[in-house]
Amino acid sequence: DDSVWEAETVIKSTLAGLHKEFENVQLQLVDMPPISHEYMESWMAQITRNADALLLVVDLGDPGVLDAVELITEVLQEWKILPMARLLTAEEQDALDVGVVPRRALLLGNKYDRLASKDNWDVLQELYGTRWPTLAVSATHGHNLEALRRELYTLLDIVRVYTKAPGKKPDLTAPYTMPHGSTVDEVAAT
């Protein structure tokens, strides 16, 4: 179906465009094949476990969108990945089962411009809106793409650190990026 191919091409090119600088920080998105019980690439679990954050993309025009979200959560659980809305405290991390990795996640509904999408979006927000941050976009029409860039940056929970040599002006072109709450010693160690 040409419309499916066109929509996939638009979202991929849009996401590729997000690989550029945002807030003076380089972000990289890894476009993964869809999650499916029928077939998945063997490397997908490890790439996902190593990600800094997860963008859980679903098709809002699909009548089976709720099943898609459940499939994603089931597979992530099999991979011992816990998608989270926020960072865990040290105590919460200690309470996780052995081998489970928490990852901040954003539930992204694409194809918001489709007819059934608004109803599906309302249901998704009602069921999952307290579990993860959510955002609806239309890659074809450009709806909420700037908000997506901002949400991705926020999701990573990083700070920019600009350094300067003694007696010189600060270098404001290439900051170090560190997790929120990092210390000056941790920056110096990089």
Side-chain angles (χ1 to χ4, degrees), residues 10-23 27 29 53-58 105-111 121 133-140 142-156:
V10 169
I11 191 72
K12 285 179 182 178
S13 64
T14 301
L15 292 177
L18 292 171
H19 176 60
K20 298 176 181 169
E21 188 175 287
F22 183 74
E23 295 289 332
L27 300 177
L29 296 175
L54 306 177
L55 186 58
L56 312 175
V57 182
V58 294
L106 170 67
L107 180 59
L108 181 71
N110 188 31
K111 301 182 184 176
W121 180 242
T134 59
L135 183 65
V137 300
S138 168
T140 304
H143 175 73
N144 265 350
L145 295 182
E146 189 59 33
L148 173 58
R149 291 167 57 101
R150 170 66 50 202
E151 286 293 326
L152 289 172
Y153 181 79
T154 302
L155 189 66
L156 292 171

Side-chain angles (χ1 to χ4, degrees), residues 56-78:
L56 312 175
V57 182
V58 294
D59 178 350
L60 291 175
D62 180 2
V65 68
L66 294 177
D67 294 333
V69 175
E70 286 306 311
L71 175 62
I72 291 169
T73 56
E74 287 172 17
V75 170
L76 290 176
Q77 186 175 11
E78 290 169 13

Side-chain angles (χ1 to χ4, degrees), residues 61-128:
D62 180 2
V65 68
L66 294 177
D67 294 333
V69 175
E70 286 306 311
L71 175 62
I72 291 169
T73 56
E74 287 172 17
V75 170
L76 290 176
Q77 186 175 11
E78 290 169 13
W79 292 345
K80 294 190 172 189
I81 300 169
L82 181 62
M84 307 291 302
R86 61 176 175 78
L87 296 175
L88 297 179
T89 65
E91 294 80 25
E92 290 171 325
Q93 284 206 358
D94 290 343
L96 291 175
D97 290 338
V98 174
V100 173
V101 294
R103 292 292 177 259
R104 296 207 40 200
L106 170 67
L107 180 59
L108 181 71
N110 188 31
K111 301 182 184 176
Y112 190 65
D113 54 309
R114 299 272 172 100
L115 286 178
S117 66
K118 289 166 186 52
D119 292 337
N120 286 342
W121 180 242
D122 291 342
V123 172
L124 277 179
Q125 284 190 296
E126 184 177 324
L127 294 174
Y128 298 103

Side-chain angles (χ1 to χ4, degrees), residues 21 24 162 170-175:
E21 188 175 287
N24 208 20
Y162 296 95
D171 177 8
L172 301 178
T173 61

